[in-house]
Coordinates of all heavy atoms in Angstrom, one line a residue:
M1 N 21.9 -46.9 -31.3 CA 20.9 -47.7 -30.8 C 20.4 -48.6 -31.9 O 20.2 -48.2 -33.0 CB 19.7 -46.9 -30.2 CG 18.5 -47.6 -29.9 SD 17.1 -46.7 -29.3 CE 17.6 -45.1 -29.0
K2 N 20.3 -49.9 -31.7 CA 19.8 -50.9 -32.7 C 18.3 -51.1 -32.5 O 17.8 -51.3 -31.4 CB 20.5 -52.2 -32.5 CG 20.3 -53.2 -33.6 CD 21.1 -54.4 -33.4 CE 20.8 -55.4 -34.6 NZ 21.7 -56.6 -34.4
L3 N 17.6 -51.0 -33.7 CA 16.1 -51.2 -33.7 C 15.8 -52.3 -34.7 O 16.5 -52.4 -35.7 CB 15.5 -49.9 -34.1 CG 15.8 -48.7 -33.2 CD1 15.4 -47.4 -33.9 CD2 15.0 -48.8 -31.9
V4 N 14.7 -53.0 -34.4 CA 14.3 -54.2 -35.3 C 12.8 -54.1 -35.5 O 12.1 -53.7 -34.6 CB 14.7 -55.5 -34.6 CG1 14.3 -56.7 -35.4 CG2 16.2 -55.6 -34.3
N5 N 12.4 -54.5 -36.7 CA 10.9 -54.5 -37.0 C 10.5 -56.0 -37.0 O 11.3 -56.9 -36.8 CB 10.6 -53.8 -38.3 CG 11.1 -54.5 -39.5 OD1 11.7 -55.5 -39.5 ND2 11.0 -53.8 -40.7
E6 N 9.2 -56.2 -37.2 CA 8.6 -57.5 -37.2 C 9.2 -58.5 -38.2 O 9.2 -59.7 -38.1 CB 7.1 -57.5 -37.3 CG 6.4 -56.9 -36.1 CD 4.9 -56.8 -36.3 OE1 4.4 -57.2 -37.4 OE2 4.2 -56.3 -35.4
A7 N 9.6 -57.9 -39.4 CA 10.2 -58.7 -40.4 C 11.6 -59.2 -40.1 O 12.2 -59.9 -40.9 CB 10.2 -58.0 -41.8
G8 N 12.2 -58.7 -39.0 CA 13.5 -59.1 -38.6 C 14.6 -58.1 -39.2 O 15.8 -58.4 -39.1
Q9 N 14.2 -57.1 -39.9 CA 15.1 -56.1 -40.4 C 15.6 -55.2 -39.3 O 14.8 -54.7 -38.5 CB 14.5 -55.3 -41.5 CG 14.0 -56.1 -42.7 CD 13.2 -55.3 -43.7 OE1 12.5 -54.4 -43.3 NE2 13.4 -55.6 -45.0
A10 N 16.9 -54.9 -39.3 CA 17.5 -54.1 -38.3 C 18.1 -52.8 -38.8 O 18.6 -52.8 -40.0 CB 18.6 -54.9 -37.6
V11 N 18.0 -51.7 -38.0 CA 18.6 -50.4 -38.4 C 19.3 -49.9 -37.1 O 19.0 -50.3 -36.0 CB 17.6 -49.4 -38.9 CG1 16.9 -49.8 -40.2 CG2 16.5 -49.1 -37.9
Y12 N 20.2 -49.0 -37.4 CA 20.9 -48.3 -36.3 C 20.4 -46.9 -36.3 O 20.4 -46.3 -37.4 CB 22.4 -48.4 -36.4 CG 23.0 -49.8 -36.3 CD1 23.3 -50.5 -37.4 CD2 23.1 -50.3 -35.0 CE1 23.8 -51.8 -37.2 CE2 23.6 -51.6 -34.8 CZ 23.9 -52.3 -35.9 OH 24.4 -53.6 -35.8
Y13 N 20.1 -46.3 -35.2 CA 19.6 -44.9 -35.0 C 20.7 -44.2 -34.2 O 21.0 -44.5 -33.1 CB 18.3 -44.9 -34.3 CG 17.8 -43.5 -34.0 CD1 17.3 -42.7 -35.1 CD2 17.7 -43.1 -32.7 CE1 16.8 -41.5 -34.8 CE2 17.2 -41.8 -32.4 CZ 16.7 -41.0 -33.5 OH 16.2 -39.8 -33.2
N14 N 21.3 -43.1 -34.9 CA 22.3 -42.4 -34.2 C 22.0 -40.9 -34.3 O 21.4 -40.4 -35.3 CB 23.7 -42.6 -34.9 CG 24.1 -44.0 -34.7 OD1 24.2 -44.6 -33.6 ND2 24.4 -44.7 -35.8
V15 N 22.5 -40.1 -33.3 CA 22.4 -38.7 -33.3 C 23.9 -38.2 -33.5 O 24.7 -38.6 -32.7 CB 21.8 -38.1 -32.0 CG1 21.7 -36.6 -32.0 CG2 20.4 -38.8 -31.8
V16 N 24.1 -37.3 -34.5 CA 25.4 -36.8 -34.7 C 25.4 -35.3 -34.9 O 24.3 -34.7 -35.2 CB 26.1 -37.4 -36.0 CG1 26.3 -38.9 -35.8 CG2 25.3 -37.1 -37.2
E17 N 26.5 -34.6 -34.7 CA 26.6 -33.2 -34.9 C 27.3 -33.0 -36.2 O 28.4 -33.5 -36.4 CB 27.3 -32.5 -33.7 CG 27.3 -31.0 -33.9 CD 28.0 -30.3 -32.7 OE1 28.2 -31.0 -31.7 OE2 28.3 -29.1 -32.8
K18 N 26.7 -32.3 -37.1 CA 27.2 -32.0 -38.4 C 27.1 -30.5 -38.7 O 26.0 -30.0 -38.7 CB 26.5 -32.8 -39.5 CG 27.1 -32.8 -40.8 CD 26.3 -33.8 -41.7 CE 27.0 -33.8 -43.1 NZ 26.2 -34.7 -44.0
R19 N 28.3 -29.9 -38.9 CA 28.3 -28.4 -39.1 C 27.7 -27.6 -38.0 O 26.9 -26.7 -38.3 CB 27.7 -28.1 -40.5 CG 28.5 -28.6 -41.6 CD 28.0 -28.1 -43.0 NE 28.3 -29.0 -44.0 CZ 27.3 -29.7 -44.6 NH1 26.1 -29.6 -44.4 NH2 27.7 -30.6 -45.6
G20 N 27.8 -28.1 -36.8 CA 27.3 -27.4 -35.6 C 25.8 -27.7 -35.4 O 25.2 -27.1 -34.4
E21 N 25.1 -28.5 -36.1 CA 23.7 -28.8 -35.9 C 23.6 -30.3 -35.7 O 24.3 -31.1 -36.3 CB 22.9 -28.4 -37.1 CG 22.9 -26.9 -37.3 CD 22.1 -26.4 -38.5 OE1 21.4 -27.3 -39.1 OE2 22.1 -25.3 -38.9
L22 N 22.6 -30.7 -35.0 CA 22.3 -32.1 -34.7 C 21.6 -32.7 -35.9 O 20.7 -32.1 -36.6 CB 21.4 -32.3 -33.5 CG 22.1 -32.0 -32.2 CD1 21.1 -32.2 -31.0 CD2 23.3 -32.9 -31.9
R23 N 22.0 -33.9 -36.3 CA 21.4 -34.7 -37.4 C 21.0 -36.1 -36.8 O 21.7 -36.6 -36.0 CB 22.3 -34.9 -38.6 CG 22.8 -33.6 -39.2 CD 21.7 -33.0 -40.0 NE 22.2 -31.8 -40.7 CZ 21.5 -30.7 -40.7 NH1 20.4 -30.6 -40.2 NH2 22.0 -29.7 -41.3
Y24 N 19.9 -36.6 -37.3 CA 19.4 -37.9 -36.8 C 19.5 -38.9 -38.0 O 18.9 -38.7 -39.0 CB 18.0 -37.8 -36.3 CG 17.9 -36.7 -35.3 CD1 17.6 -35.3 -35.7 CD2 18.1 -36.9 -34.0 CE1 17.6 -34.3 -34.7 CE2 18.1 -35.9 -33.0 CZ 17.8 -34.6 -33.4 OH 17.8 -33.7 -32.4
I25 N 20.3 -39.9 -37.8 CA 20.7 -40.8 -38.9 C 20.1 -42.2 -38.6 O 20.3 -42.8 -37.6 CB 22.2 -40.9 -39.1 CG1 22.7 -39.5 -39.5 CG2 22.5 -41.9 -40.2 CD1 24.2 -39.4 -39.6
V26 N 19.4 -42.8 -39.7 CA 19.0 -44.2 -39.6 C 19.8 -44.9 -40.6 O 19.8 -44.6 -41.8 CB 17.5 -44.3 -39.9 CG1 17.0 -45.7 -40.0 CG2 16.7 -43.5 -39.0
L27 N 20.5 -45.9 -40.2 CA 21.5 -46.7 -41.0 C 21.0 -48.1 -41.1 O 20.8 -48.8 -40.1 CB 22.9 -46.6 -40.5 CG 24.0 -47.3 -41.2 CD1 24.3 -46.7 -42.5 CD2 25.2 -47.3 -40.3
A28 N 20.9 -48.6 -42.4 CA 20.5 -50.0 -42.6 C 21.6 -51.0 -42.1 O 22.7 -50.7 -42.4 CB 20.1 -50.3 -44.0
A29 N 21.2 -52.1 -41.5 CA 22.2 -53.0 -41.0 C 22.2 -54.2 -41.9 O 21.3 -54.5 -42.6 CB 21.8 -53.5 -39.6
S30 N 23.4 -54.9 -41.9 CA 23.6 -56.2 -42.6 C 23.2 -56.2 -44.1 O 22.6 -57.1 -44.6 CB 22.9 -57.3 -41.9 OG 21.5 -57.2 -41.9
G31 N 23.6 -55.1 -44.8 CA 23.4 -55.1 -46.3 C 22.0 -54.9 -46.8 O 21.8 -55.0 -48.0
Q32 N 21.0 -54.7 -45.9 CA 19.7 -54.5 -46.4 C 19.6 -53.0 -46.9 O 20.5 -52.2 -46.7 CB 18.7 -54.8 -45.3 CG 18.7 -53.8 -44.2 CD 17.8 -54.3 -43.1 OE1 17.6 -55.4 -42.8 NE2 17.3 -53.3 -42.3
V33 N 18.4 -52.7 -47.4 CA 18.2 -51.3 -47.8 C 16.9 -50.8 -47.2 O 16.1 -51.5 -46.7 CB 18.0 -51.2 -49.4 CG1 19.3 -51.5 -50.1 CG2 16.9 -52.1 -49.9
I34 N 16.9 -49.4 -47.0 CA 15.7 -48.8 -46.5 C 15.2 -47.8 -47.6 O 15.9 -47.4 -48.4 CB 15.9 -48.0 -45.2 CG1 17.1 -47.0 -45.3 CG2 16.3 -49.0 -44.1 CD1 17.4 -46.2 -44.1
L35 N 13.9 -47.5 -47.5 CA 13.3 -46.7 -48.5 C 13.5 -45.2 -48.2 O 13.3 -44.8 -47.1 CB 11.8 -47.0 -48.7 CG 11.4 -48.4 -49.2 CD1 9.9 -48.5 -49.2 CD2 12.1 -48.6 -50.5
G36 N 13.9 -44.4 -49.2 CA 14.1 -43.0 -49.1 C 12.8 -42.2 -49.3 O 11.7 -42.8 -49.3
R37 N 12.9 -40.9 -49.5 CA 11.8 -40.1 -49.6 C 10.9 -40.5 -50.8 O 9.7 -40.5 -50.7 CB 12.3 -38.6 -49.8 CG 12.2 -37.8 -48.6 CD 12.6 -36.4 -48.9 NE 11.4 -35.6 -49.1 CZ 11.4 -34.3 -49.3 NH1 12.6 -33.7 -49.3 NH2 10.3 -33.7 -49.5
D38 N 11.4 -40.7 -51.9 CA 10.7 -41.0 -53.1 C 10.7 -42.5 -53.5 O 10.8 -42.9 -54.6 CB 11.1 -40.2 -54.3 CG 11.0 -38.7 -54.1 OD1 9.9 -38.3 -53.5 OD2 11.8 -37.9 -54.5
R39 N 10.7 -43.3 -52.4 CA 10.8 -44.8 -52.5 C 12.0 -45.3 -53.1 O 12.1 -46.5 -53.6 CB 9.5 -45.3 -53.2 CG 8.2 -44.7 -52.8 CD 7.4 -45.4 -51.8 NE 7.3 -46.9 -52.0 CZ 7.1 -47.6 -50.9 NH1 7.0 -47.1 -49.7 NH2 7.0 -48.9 -51.0
Q40 N 13.1 -44.5 -53.2 CA 14.4 -45.1 -53.7 C 15.1 -45.9 -52.6 O 14.8 -45.6 -51.5 CB 15.3 -43.9 -54.2 CG 15.9 -43.0 -53.2 CD 15.0 -41.8 -52.8 OE1 13.8 -42.0 -52.7 NE2 15.6 -40.7 -52.6
K41 N 15.9 -46.8 -53.0 CA 16.6 -47.7 -52.1 C 17.9 -47.1 -51.6 O 18.7 -46.7 -52.4 CB 16.8 -49.1 -52.7 CG 15.5 -49.8 -53.1 CD 15.8 -51.1 -53.8 CE 14.4 -51.7 -54.1 NZ 14.6 -53.0 -54.8
R42 N 18.0 -47.0 -50.3 CA 19.2 -46.3 -49.7 C 19.8 -47.1 -48.6 O 19.1 -48.0 -48.0 CB 18.8 -45.0 -49.2 CG 18.1 -44.0 -50.1 CD 19.0 -42.8 -50.3 NE 18.5 -41.9 -51.2 CZ 19.2 -41.4 -52.2 NH1 20.5 -41.7 -52.3 NH2 18.7 -40.5 -53.0
K43 N 21.0 -46.9 -48.3 CA 21.7 -47.5 -47.1 C 21.4 -46.7 -45.8 O 21.5 -47.3 -44.8 CB 23.2 -47.6 -47.4 CG 23.6 -48.4 -48.6 CD 23.6 -49.8 -48.3 CE 24.1 -50.6 -49.5 NZ 23.8 -51.9 -49.4
S44 N 21.1 -45.4 -46.0 CA 20.9 -44.6 -44.8 C 19.9 -43.5 -45.1 O 19.7 -43.1 -46.3 CB 22.2 -44.0 -44.2 OG 22.7 -43.1 -45.1
R45 N 19.4 -42.9 -44.0 CA 18.5 -41.8 -44.2 C 18.9 -40.8 -43.1 O 19.1 -41.1 -41.9 CB 17.1 -42.3 -43.8 CG 16.0 -41.8 -44.5 CD 15.1 -41.9 -45.5 NE 14.4 -40.7 -45.6 CZ 13.1 -40.6 -45.5 NH1 12.4 -41.6 -45.3 NH2 12.6 -39.4 -45.6
T46 N 18.9 -39.5 -43.4 CA 19.3 -38.4 -42.5 C 18.1 -37.5 -42.3 O 17.5 -37.1 -43.3 CB 20.5 -37.6 -43.0 OG1 21.6 -38.5 -43.3 CG2 20.9 -36.6 -42.1
F47 N 17.8 -37.2 -41.1 CA 16.7 -36.3 -40.7 C 17.3 -35.1 -40.0 O 18.3 -35.2 -39.2 CB 15.7 -37.0 -39.8 CG 15.0 -38.1 -40.5 CD1 15.6 -39.4 -40.4 CD2 13.9 -38.0 -41.2 CE1 15.0 -40.5 -40.9 CE2 13.3 -39.1 -41.8 CZ 13.8 -40.3 -41.7
T48 N 16.7 -33.9 -40.1 CA 17.2 -32.7 -39.4 C 16.4 -32.5 -38.1 O 16.9 -31.8 -37.3 CB 17.0 -31.4 -40.3 OG1 15.6 -31.3 -40.7 CG2 17.9 -31.5 -41.6
Q49 N 15.2 -33.1 -38.0 CA 14.5 -33.0 -36.8 C 14.2 -34.3 -36.2 O 13.8 -35.3 -36.9 CB 13.2 -32.2 -37.1 CG 13.4 -30.8 -37.6 CD 12.1 -30.1 -37.9 OE1 11.1 -30.6 -37.7 NE2 12.3 -28.9 -38.4
E50 N 14.3 -34.4 -34.9 CA 14.1 -35.7 -34.2 C 12.7 -36.3 -34.4 O 12.6 -37.5 -34.6 CB 14.5 -35.6 -32.7 CG 14.4 -36.9 -32.0 CD 14.8 -36.8 -30.5 OE1 14.8 -35.7 -30.0 OE2 15.0 -37.8 -29.9
H51 N 11.7 -35.5 -34.3 CA 10.4 -36.0 -34.4 C 10.1 -36.6 -35.8 O 9.3 -37.6 -35.9 CB 9.3 -34.9 -34.1 CG 9.2 -33.9 -35.1 ND1 8.3 -34.0 -36.2 CD2 9.8 -32.7 -35.3 CE1 8.4 -32.9 -37.0 NE2 9.3 -32.1 -36.5
Q52 N 10.8 -36.1 -36.8 CA 10.6 -36.7 -38.1 C 11.3 -38.1 -38.2 O 10.7 -39.1 -38.7 CB 11.3 -35.9 -39.2 CG 10.6 -34.5 -39.4 CD 11.4 -33.6 -40.3 OE1 12.7 -33.7 -40.4 NE2 10.8 -32.7 -41.0
A53 N 12.4 -38.3 -37.6 CA 13.1 -39.6 -37.5 C 12.3 -40.6 -36.7 O 12.1 -41.7 -37.2 CB 14.5 -39.4 -36.9
R54 N 11.8 -40.2 -35.6 CA 11.0 -41.1 -34.7 C 9.7 -41.5 -35.4 O 9.3 -42.6 -35.3 CB 10.7 -40.4 -33.4 CG 12.0 -40.3 -32.6 CD 11.7 -40.3 -31.1 NE 13.0 -40.1 -30.4 CZ 13.6 -41.1 -29.8 NH1 13.2 -42.3 -29.9 NH2 14.7 -40.9 -29.1
A55 N 9.1 -40.5 -36.1 CA 7.9 -40.9 -36.9 C 8.1 -41.9 -38.0 O 7.4 -42.8 -38.2 CB 7.2 -39.6 -37.4
W56 N 9.3 -41.7 -38.7 CA 9.6 -42.7 -39.7 C 9.9 -44.1 -39.1 O 9.4 -45.1 -39.7 CB 10.9 -42.2 -40.5 CG 11.2 -43.0 -41.6 CD1 10.8 -42.9 -42.9 CD2 12.1 -44.2 -41.6 NE1 11.3 -43.9 -43.7 CE2 12.1 -44.7 -43.0 CE3 12.8 -44.9 -40.7 CZ2 12.8 -45.8 -43.3 CZ3 13.5 -46.0 -41.0 CH2 13.5 -46.4 -42.3
L57 N 10.6 -44.1 -38.0 CA 10.8 -45.4 -37.4 C 9.5 -46.1 -36.9 O 9.4 -47.3 -37.1 CB 11.8 -45.2 -36.2 CG 13.2 -44.8 -36.5 CD1 14.0 -44.4 -35.3 CD2 13.9 -46.0 -37.2
E58 N 8.6 -45.3 -36.4 CA 7.4 -45.8 -35.9 C 6.5 -46.3 -37.1 O 5.9 -47.4 -37.0 CB 6.6 -44.7 -35.1 CG 5.4 -45.3 -34.5 CD 4.7 -44.2 -33.6 OE1 5.4 -43.5 -32.8 OE2 3.5 -44.0 -33.7
R59 N 6.5 -45.5 -38.2 CA 5.7 -45.9 -39.3 C 6.2 -47.2 -39.9 O 5.4 -48.0 -40.4 CB 5.8 -44.9 -40.4 CG 4.7 -43.8 -40.5 CD 4.7 -43.0 -41.8 NE 6.0 -42.6 -42.3 CZ 6.6 -41.5 -41.9 NH1 6.1 -40.7 -41.0 NH2 7.8 -41.2 -42.5
N60 N 7.5 -47.5 -39.8 CA 8.1 -48.7 -40.4 C 8.2 -49.8 -39.4 O 8.7 -50.9 -39.7 CB 9.4 -48.4 -41.0 CG 9.2 -47.6 -42.3 OD1 8.8 -48.1 -43.3 ND2 9.6 -46.3 -42.2
G61 N 7.6 -49.6 -38.2 CA 7.5 -50.7 -37.2 C 8.8 -51.0 -36.4 O 8.9 -52.1 -35.9
Y62 N 9.8 -50.1 -36.4 CA 11.0 -50.4 -35.7 C 10.9 -50.1 -34.2 O 10.4 -49.1 -33.8 CB 12.2 -49.6 -36.2 CG 12.6 -50.0 -37.6 CD1 12.2 -49.4 -38.7 CD2 13.4 -51.1 -37.8 CE1 12.5 -49.8 -40.0 CE2 13.8 -51.6 -39.0 CZ 13.3 -50.9 -40.1 OH 13.7 -51.3 -41.4
T63 N 11.3 -51.1 -33.4 CA 11.3 -51.0 -31.9 C 12.7 -51.4 -31.4 O 13.5 -52.0 -32.1 CB 10.3 -51.9 -31.2 OG1 10.5 -53.2 -31.6 CG2 8.9 -51.4 -31.7
T64 N 13.0 -51.1 -30.2 CA 14.3 -51.4 -29.6 C 14.6 -52.9 -29.6 O 13.7 -53.7 -29.3 CB 14.4 -50.9 -28.2 OG1 14.1 -49.5 -28.2 CG2 15.8 -51.1 -27.6
A65 N 15.8 -53.2 -30.0 CA 16.2 -54.6 -30.1 C 16.6 -55.2 -28.7 O 17.2 -54.5 -28.0 CB 17.4 -54.8 -31.1
L66 N 16.1 -56.4 -28.4 CA 16.5 -57.0 -27.2 C 17.6 -58.0 -27.4 O 17.5 -58.8 -28.4 CB 15.2 -57.7 -26.6 CG 14.1 -56.8 -26.3 CD1 12.9 -57.6 -25.8 CD2 14.4 -55.8 -25.2
Y67 N 18.6 -58.0 -26.6 CA 19.7 -59.0 -26.8 C 19.6 -60.2 -25.9 O 19.1 -60.2 -24.8 CB 21.0 -58.2 -26.5 CG 21.3 -57.1 -27.4 CD1 21.1 -55.8 -27.1 CD2 21.8 -57.4 -28.7 CE1 21.3 -54.8 -28.0 CE2 22.0 -56.4 -29.6 CZ 21.8 -55.1 -29.2 OH 22.1 -54.1 -30.1

């Protein structure tokens, strides 16, 4: 699912199964970076719980992209 914030930055939000458990991945689109746990610049972020991923997306202002 593609999400966009007010600044026009886009991320992809995916749910994958890794080693038998679900993981929630936020991946930066088009060469931009997203902030990690300690404010480090990363290309993606992985969460083990869905509510954590959704809270991060909401805090950073990402909503569903309209085409």
Side-chain angles (χ1 to χ4, degrees):
M1 168 181 352
K2 186 175 181 180
L3 304 162
V4 179
N5 66 6
E6 290 179 2
Q9 297 173 326
V11 295
Y12 293 102
Y13 175 69
N14 295 308
V15 180
V16 297
E17 186 175 344
K18 188 173 184 180
R19 293 187 208 114
E21 296 180 4
L22 291 179
R23 300 286 184 225
Y24 306 91
I25 299 175
V26 177
L27 179 67
S30 66
Q32 70 188 30
V33 294
I34 56 178
L35 295 179
R37 262 184 94 172
D38 298 321
R39 314 262 321 149
Q40 71 272 41
K41 295 177 181 177
R42 302 245 179 228
K43 299 279 183 195
S44 68
R45 215 100 189 238
T46 302
F47 298 91
T48 57
Q49 298 178 3
E50 183 178 17
H51 72 89
Q52 293 172 331
R54 294 208 181 259
W56 185 90
L57 290 167
E58 187 176 314
R59 265 194 318 273
N60 290 289
Y62 288 101
T63 57
T64 305
L66 301 175
Y67 296 101

